């Protein structure tokens, strides 16, 4: 079914990024929810652990890119969008369009997931209030106290993880590098995200996506979770802002060390 032959480009990209990011968060945070709530409610580890979450988020990214990649490129992450603009793979005017869709998609996914697991959350939150027992389903928090892991370490963690994500994305999509078939791009990038989770999830949960972290965190604040913006000495600004820095750095590193050194085509 078509409503028109000439849908505005920015509308198409906004809708694609919204739906793609929705899929990323609904499946990714859904994997977190199943591990956290399933194990807590059952009192065992039937639903696995961080390995499940790592693969869950990698597959979620794969699905999100499959949904949106042919329309918008499947960024699904404001840090990716800013980095692509920094290396001139995206027009500056497209940046706010993409980001608006990403934040909206992430928020809607968190809202749906909250409803999907409302009963399971009640089983775990026996006090009747939302606590830190379940807030990690929606947003990332440091695994250690800020008296043990410094703010600098947490900041570097988010920048490093996002930088590596951009290096992976640019390498996979570089037609002059390994020439990966377009049908394999979503899976390869998704596995790259899984690798980042498996290697850099310890300090802060490997959010490396401002929309995926901030929008669901906003939902938890509205829904009544205790101080999601004040926990861990108000650390929320680290996964919200610093992935933008890491993404740009990673993109520039790839361009200066690989991209600009390809032989010129005759």
């Amino acid at each position: 079914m078509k409503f028109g032959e000439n849908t505005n480009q920015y509308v198409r990209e906004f809708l694609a990024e919204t739906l793609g990011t929705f899929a990323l968060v609904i499946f990714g945070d859904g994997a977190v929810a199943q591990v956290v709530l399933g194990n807590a409610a059952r009192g065992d580890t039937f639903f696995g652990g961080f390995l499940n979450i790592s693969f869950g988020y990698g597959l979620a990214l794969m699905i999100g890119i499959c949904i949106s990649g042919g329309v918008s490129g499947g960024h699904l992450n404001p840090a990716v969008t800013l980095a692509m603009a920094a290396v001139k793979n995206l027009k500056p005017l497209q940046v706010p369009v993409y980001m608006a869709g990403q934040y909206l998609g992430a928020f809607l996914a968190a809202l749906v997931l909250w409803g999907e697991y409302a009963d399971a959350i009640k089983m775990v939150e026996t006090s009747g209030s939302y606590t830190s027992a379940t807030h990690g389903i929606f947003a990332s928090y440091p695994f250690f106290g800020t008296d043990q892991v410094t703010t600098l370490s947490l900041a570097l963690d988010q920048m490093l993880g996002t930088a590596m994500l951009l290096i992976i994305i640019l390498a996979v999509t570089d037609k002059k590098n390994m020439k990966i078939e377009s049908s394999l791009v979503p899976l390869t990038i998704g596995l790259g995200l899984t690798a980042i989770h498996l290697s850099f999830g310890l300090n802060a949960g490997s959010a490396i996506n401002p929309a995926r972290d901030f929008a669901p965190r906003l939902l938890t604040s509205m829904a009544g979770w205790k101080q999601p913006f004040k926990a861990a000495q108000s650390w929320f600004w680290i996964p919200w802002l610093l992935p933008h820095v890491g993404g740009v750095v990673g993109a520039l590193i790839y361009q200066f060390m690989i991209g600009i050194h390809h032989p010129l085509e005759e």
Side-chain angles (χ1 to χ4, degrees):
M1 180 176 67
K2 288 188 176 182
F3 290 100
E5 294 294 332
N6 297 307
T7 306
N8 181 272
Q9 173 191 347
Y10 297 117
V11 173
R12 293 197 306 269
E13 292 167 345
F14 170 79
L15 293 174
E17 287 295 306
T18 299
L19 185 57
T21 309
F22 178 91
L24 167 67
V25 175
I26 199 75
F27 286 113
D29 280 3
V32 180
Q34 184 161 274
V35 170
V36 171
L37 299 175
N39 291 345
R42 287 170 55 95
D44 58 24
T45 58
F46 176 83
F47 285 102
F50 193 70
L51 184 63
N52 299 64
I53 295 170
S54 298
F55 276 99
Y57 244 108
L59 293 172
L61 180 57
M62 178 196 74
I63 294 168
I65 295 173
C66 285
I67 290 171
S68 60
V71 180
S72 66
H75 293 185
L76 319 181
N77 183 337
V80 173
T81 295
L82 183 63
M84 290 301 179
V87 296
K88 298 183 179 180
N89 287 349
L90 194 73
K91 296 177 182 178
L93 189 59
Q94 292 172 285
V95 172
V97 175
Y98 276 55
M99 289 187 177
Q102 291 154 6
Y103 279 102
L104 177 61
F107 184 87
L108 293 175
L111 182 63
V112 171
L113 193 67
W114 178 35
E116 167 69 14
Y117 283 116
D119 292 335
I121 291 172
K122 289 179 181 178
M123 283 188 278
V124 174
E125 298 285 17
T126 55
S127 67
S129 299
Y130 293 143
T131 69
S132 60
T134 56
H135 68 185
I137 293 170
F138 299 95
S140 62
Y141 295 87
F143 282 104
F144 306 107
T146 49
D147 58 330
Q148 296 174 292
V149 177
T150 65
T151 299
L152 178 60
S153 293
L154 295 173
L156 291 174
D157 173 276
Q158 290 298 293
M159 288 190 287
L160 174 62
T162 316
M164 295 310 301
L165 176 63
L166 263 297
I167 290 172
I168 292 167
I169 291 171
L170 289 173
V172 170
T173 56
D174 186 349
K175 291 181 173 60
K176 296 182 179 180
N177 198 331
M178 291 297 292
K179 298 181 175 65
I180 294 174
E181 293 290 336
S182 61
S183 59
L184 292 176
V185 167
L187 176 61
T188 309
I189 294 175
L191 289 175
L193 180 63
T194 292
I196 293 170
H197 275 72
L198 292 174
S199 300
F200 304 115
L202 177 61
N203 283 340
S206 194
I208 62 173
N209 183 333
R212 164 263 180 275
D213 190 84
F214 185 86
R217 190 185 300 273
L218 179 62
L219 173 72
T220 60
S221 179
M222 296 169 64
W225 265 268
K226 293 182 179 179
Q227 301 182 332
F229 288 101
K230 294 183 179 179
Q233 296 184 347
S234 299
W235 105 290
F236 79 93
W237 65 272
I238 293 176
W240 182 32
L241 298 179
L242 293 186
H244 297 93
V245 178
V248 171
V249 170
L252 293 176
I253 287 174
Y254 183 84
Q255 290 297 94
F256 282 111
M257 298 190 74
I258 303 293
I260 64 173
H261 300 291
H262 291 308
L264 295 175
E265 296 181 354
E266 295 183 1

